[in-house]
Amino acid sequence: MKIMTGNSNLPLARAIAAYLEIPLTNASVRRFADEEVFVEINENVRGEDVFVVQSTSYPTNDNLMELLICIDALRRASAKRITAVMPYFGYARQDRKPGPRTPISAKLVANLITTAGADRVLAVDLHAGQIQGFFDIPTDNLYAAPTMAADIQARYGDGELMVVSPDVGGVVRARALAKRLNNAPLAIVDKRRDKPGQSEVMNIIGDVKGRTCIMIDDIIDSGGTLCNAAQALMDAGAASVTAYISHGVLTGAAVQRVTNSALKELVITDSILATEATRDTDRIRVLTIAPLIGEAMRRIADESSVSSLFD
Ligand code: R5P
């Protein structure tokens, strides 16, 4: 097997390569003066099982284009099988039509990746599991939950844990984490706006008084959802609130918002390269998922079970 990478998250690609004890494929993914992406693979990949590691995070469109062009270059170089390894799958939130005359961009991106020549996709905590079905090629969706659960046990295992979903849509994810934490109890933050123009009211379903609350979600973007939910939980008597989030999108003033929030700590994975602001605050901690992705890649290459990673 060979591992190639675009420029979106070089530290993660290097960590995966180190886990697998395989050097990164010698390739250059660069720009022409007008910002066109140009890819050159500097070693033979004919007949190889090649994994391209690239998160389609900010700058989303540039990183997506790098991925597509890497895949095209590999296909034209006669790679036997090409797997797009997407620790973060950008556009995943556009997975349905929120209104008339709107796109389903997640499906379009899936089509682009397939048309470019990918044979398989490996993703992590897809925003919605159904996105797997947007691809007509095999797609594995990995879960960061086991990595998070181990960290939660080590850091917060002494407290009276309560897993919290920051919205009604995240209950399945929260329940899966709770199961890994010896069936910890579950609470849900229910956001309601009774009338248009009225401010949102946060109702907590479940008794969080005195509890060490662990909020789980797939994405933190502006930070609004989590910071508001953390405040509501503290107001309801929680002992502390920590958030575990798979993908730290963290746009705009998100890092500042987290730093000023009621969150004890925000824990994200390295699916997206951390910005300087993220690295500079001690309120945000990054867990690596390189071993998880590397192990899944090894199993795909060996044609052994990936799902058993989560048993
Ligand atoms: C929404 O469905 C996602 O799971 C996240 O809750 C959302 O993307 C977070 O966005 P923000 O941080 O901007 O509130």
Side-chain angles (χ1 to χ4, degrees):
M1 70 191 281
K2 282 189 182 274
I3 311 169
M4 187 175 156
T5 183
N7 292 306
S8 69
N9 197 340
L10 289 174
L12 177 64
R14 288 188 190 120
I16 293 170
Y19 176 85
L20 290 167
E21 299 178 326
I22 296 172
L24 285 172
T25 297
N26 182 351
S28 121
V29 181
R30 58 181 195 272
R31 298 289 139 90
F32 286 155
D34 64 354
E35 291 294 309
E36 274 185 19
V37 174
F38 180 66
V39 173
E40 203 168 13
I41 303 165
N42 302 316
E43 61 186 80
N44 181 33
V45 292
R46 193 176 291 274
E48 297 280 0
D49 190 5
V50 188
F51 294 79
V52 190
V53 180
Q54 177 80 334
S55 278
T56 47
S57 50
Y58 176 84
T60 308
N61 301 328
D62 287 355
N63 284 332
L64 174 61
M65 206 61 203
E66 278 193 5
L67 174 64
L68 298 175
I69 294 177
C70 285
I71 294 170
D72 186 73
L74 287 165
R75 184 167 56 93
R76 291 174 197 284
S78 304
K80 181 180 74 194
R81 183 169 70 171
I82 304 164
T83 302
V85 180
M86 304 175 72
Y88 174 67
F89 183 95
Y91 282 101
R93 284 173 285 179
Q94 297 188 48
D95 59 354
R96 61 185 176 279
K97 287 184 73 169
R101 297 172 296 283
T102 55
I104 305 181
S105 308
K107 171 62 179 154
L108 172 64
V109 170
N111 288 348
L112 289 171
I113 291 166
T114 311
T115 303
D119 298 292
R120 308 183 58 93
V121 170
L122 178 61
V124 180
D125 282 325
L126 283 168
H127 179 59
Q130 305 88 287
I131 293 172
Q132 277 181 287
F134 288 7
F135 291 94
D136 281 330
I137 51 178
T139 301
D140 290 298
N141 184 22
L142 305 179
Y143 305 104
T147 311
M148 292 174 174
D151 190 78
I152 294 164
Q153 292 286 21
R155 302 244 173 184
Y156 297 100
D158 290 345
E160 274 199 89
L161 293 179
M162 185 141 201
V163 177
V164 182
S165 172
D167 54 35
V168 175
V171 175
V172 173
R173 186 177 292 116
R175 199 180 293 137
L177 179 68
K179 212 169 139 194
R180 288 182 185 277
L181 297 170
N182 305 320
N183 286 316
L186 200 69
I188 302 163
V189 180
D190 175 36
K191 265 186 303 194
R192 292 253 170 120
R193 198 190 301 272
D194 284 341
K195 283 190 195 138
Q198 279 187 359
S199 63
E200 271 178 349
V201 181
M202 303 277 214
N203 298 305
I204 312 288
I205 304 171
D207 184 6
V208 298
K209 218 166 277 155
R211 292 283 185 166
T212 301
C213 291
I214 305 290
M215 257 198 294
I216 178 164
D217 209 348
D218 61 330
I219 293 172
I220 175 166
D221 186 343
S222 68
T225 306
L226 277 189
C227 296
N228 293 339
Q231 190 57 56
L233 290 165
M234 289 306 285
D235 292 346
S240 68
V241 184
T242 300
Y244 280 77
I245 312 293
S246 308
H247 309 297
V249 174
L250 294 168
T251 56
V255 172
Q256 206 183 339
R257 196 167 288 131
V258 168
T259 310
N260 297 332
S261 76
L263 282 171
K264 183 181 166 88
E265 186 184 32
L266 165 67
V267 184
I268 54 177
T269 78
D270 54 357
S271 67
I272 294 175
L273 183 64
T275 60
E276 215 178 298
T278 303
R279 288 195 302 269
D280 281 353
T281 172
D282 53 12
R283 197 72 79 83
I284 304 179
R285 194 156 53 85
V286 181
L287 291 180
T288 186
I289 49 168
L292 172 72
I293 297 175
E295 188 52 36
M297 285 164 59
R298 188 204 305 279
R299 290 175 184 218
I300 289 169
D302 291 351
E303 316 232 302
S304 60
S305 166
V306 170
S307 67
S308 58
L309 264 174
F310 305 102
D311 288 344

